[in-house]
Amino acid sequence: MEIIIGKLAGFCGGINSAVSKTEKLLVDKEKIYCLGELTHNKQVMEKLEKSGLIVIEKLEDIENNTEVIFRAHGMPKNAYDEAKKRNIKVYDFTCPRVLALHEQIEKESKKGKYIFLLGEEGHPEIVGTMGFADKNNLFLLQTINDVENAIKDLLASKRTELYILSQTTFSLRKFDEIVEKIIQKLEKKGIDIEINNSICEATELRQKETEKISQIVDYMIIIGGKNSSNTRKLYEISEKNCKNAIHIETKDELKNIDFSNYKKIGIMAGASTPKSSIAGVKEYLNELT
């Protein structure tokens, strides 16, 4: 059995930084609050919570004059305003890529441009990013089927400038498909279109590597949180290229699978998956040979 592990599998820079900084804080503090899950990985969160991390859902859950971590996915602008008003010290561990997204959408929105934001409704990054834009001139597109309604809203607004950007972990394939349709539909409509492919480079490269590996293996294993958007994208890519694909969080989910007939097994992991989870899966597969 040959095992092929993606070179980009596991923690991205933003998640690695957020987790490392949180671990350092917990060395000197018995507890510290985190607004939302720091990262979408059950095993990582359980470890941090055992060390004193307390996840809260809203700032109202903590008292004034205390401390809180802002998760790697980012928070809306009003969260910063509320923390400042209540004298709550913020450790901002938002991914730098997401912070750049916040700055860009706020800048373009203030210029009066209509914003098309491509992403997953309800995802923490999207919730945070939308909080930096004028919601009256903003449309969230999740799939290519949203293009028609988005364009109707744009034309009804009488705005002539359109700015397109996306969630940093959005599917590159979906981004290209949606943008192509938008351009086709707005041809000769007198709309000035600016496109910002704000998908994180690491996300983009990880998706491309997953595509390559899943095309040459008999079985594809994707490791990462079931609530991780970027991990689900990797699984979707794998499903299209390999008839045997599975999305797991830990090696325990592989125990009922017979791998004896598979010669090549591919492994890829999401941006919030620790190296220990990847190593555990590899070790388990090696023990079968």
Side-chain angles (χ1 to χ4, degrees):
M1 179 193 297
E2 180 184 356
I3 301 172
I4 302 173
I5 301 176
K7 294 178 181 178
L8 296 173
F11 275 175
C12 65
I15 296 297
N16 187 53
S17 175
V19 172
S20 296
K21 288 177 180 178
T22 300
E23 288 174 338
K24 288 178 181 177
L25 279 178
L26 290 170
V27 170
D28 299 319
K29 300 176 186 292
E30 289 187 5
K31 68 176 185 179
I32 190 165
Y33 298 104
C34 182
L35 187 53
E37 283 191 331
L38 183 73
T39 180
H40 284 157
N41 185 277
K42 183 180 178 182
Q43 290 69 42
V44 172
M45 289 305 301
E46 286 178 348
K47 182 180 178 182
L48 292 173
E49 286 171 349
K50 285 179 181 178
S51 298
L53 187 70
I54 301 173
V55 177
I56 58 170
E57 295 304 320
K58 52 187 183 299
L59 284 177
E60 290 92 327
D61 293 336
I62 58 176
E63 299 177 352
N64 294 350
N65 307 305
T66 187
E67 299 179 333
V68 67
I69 291 170
F70 278 5
R71 63 191 173 202
H73 297 99
M75 299 303 302
K77 190 174 182 180
N78 59 14
Y80 291 89
D81 297 337
E82 184 181 347
K84 185 176 181 181
K85 182 180 179 181
R86 295 177 53 198
N87 198 33
I88 295 173
K89 182 176 180 179
V90 172
Y91 294 96
D92 193 356
F93 294 165
T94 304
C95 170
R97 294 273 185 174
V98 177
L99 286 176
L101 191 63
H102 291 176
E103 292 175 6
Q104 197 63 31
I105 198 170
E106 183 175 34
K107 176 184 173 183
E108 302 303 329
S109 186
K110 284 181 176 178
K111 288 180 181 178
K113 296 181 181 179
Y114 201 95
I115 308 292
F116 281 1
L117 177 61
L118 281 56
E120 183 181 338
E121 185 175 10
H123 187 278
E125 182 185 322
I126 286 296
V127 173
T129 301
M130 290 177 70
F132 283 83
D134 178 359
K135 290 183 175 59
N136 295 316
N137 297 302
L138 171 70
F139 199 101
L140 176 64
L141 296 89
Q142 298 190 80
T143 72
I144 199 165
N145 296 325
D146 296 321
V147 172
E148 295 284 354
N149 287 331
I151 290 176
K152 283 181 183 178
D153 276 26
L154 165 64
L155 297 178
S157 75
K158 305 298 183 183
R159 304 259 170 178
T160 58
E161 292 182 291
L162 172 64
Y163 191 81
I164 304 172
L165 73 170
S166 79
Q167 182 177 328
T168 61
T169 56
F170 199 62
S171 164
L172 179 61
R173 182 183 297 170
K174 284 184 181 180
F175 179 88
D176 290 339
E177 289 175 351
I178 293 171
V179 169
E180 183 180 358
K181 186 171 181 179
I182 291 170
I183 293 172
Q184 289 176 351
K185 291 288 183 179
L186 288 177
E187 189 177 9
K188 298 179 182 179
K189 295 288 186 182
I191 304 295
D192 180 22
I193 306 173
E194 186 174 350
I195 302 164
N196 177 1
N197 179 355
S198 47
I199 298 172
C200 173
E201 184 181 2
T203 295
E204 188 174 326
L205 292 173
R206 191 181 288 105
Q207 289 178 8
K208 288 181 177 178
E209 187 177 24
T210 300
E211 184 123 34
K212 288 181 181 178
I213 294 174
S214 60
Q215 289 173 348
I216 62 170
V217 297
D218 306 309
Y219 205 107
M220 191 70 189
I221 300 171
I222 302 298
I223 313 168
K226 297 293 173 63
N227 59 342
S228 166
S229 175
N230 78 87
T231 305
R232 288 199 303 270
K233 301 293 189 305
L234 302 181
Y235 177 62
E236 289 170 7
I237 291 169
S238 298
E239 270 192 315
K240 290 180 180 178
N241 296 303
C242 183
K243 63 180 181 180
N244 301 299
I246 189 172
H247 176 186
I248 65 171
E249 291 190 345
T250 70
K251 63 181 180 180
D252 294 336
E253 295 173 67
L254 299 175
K255 290 183 178 178
N256 294 322
I257 300 173
D258 181 6
F259 288 98
S260 60
N261 294 322
Y262 302 114
K263 295 180 179 180
K264 278 188 180 181
I265 296 178
I267 297 175
M268 181 54 80
S272 53
T273 306
K275 293 293 184 184
S276 57
S277 294
I278 302 169
V281 171
K282 181 184 177 183
E283 182 182 351
Y284 173 78
L285 293 174
N286 282 331
E287 288 174 353
L288 299 177
T289 58

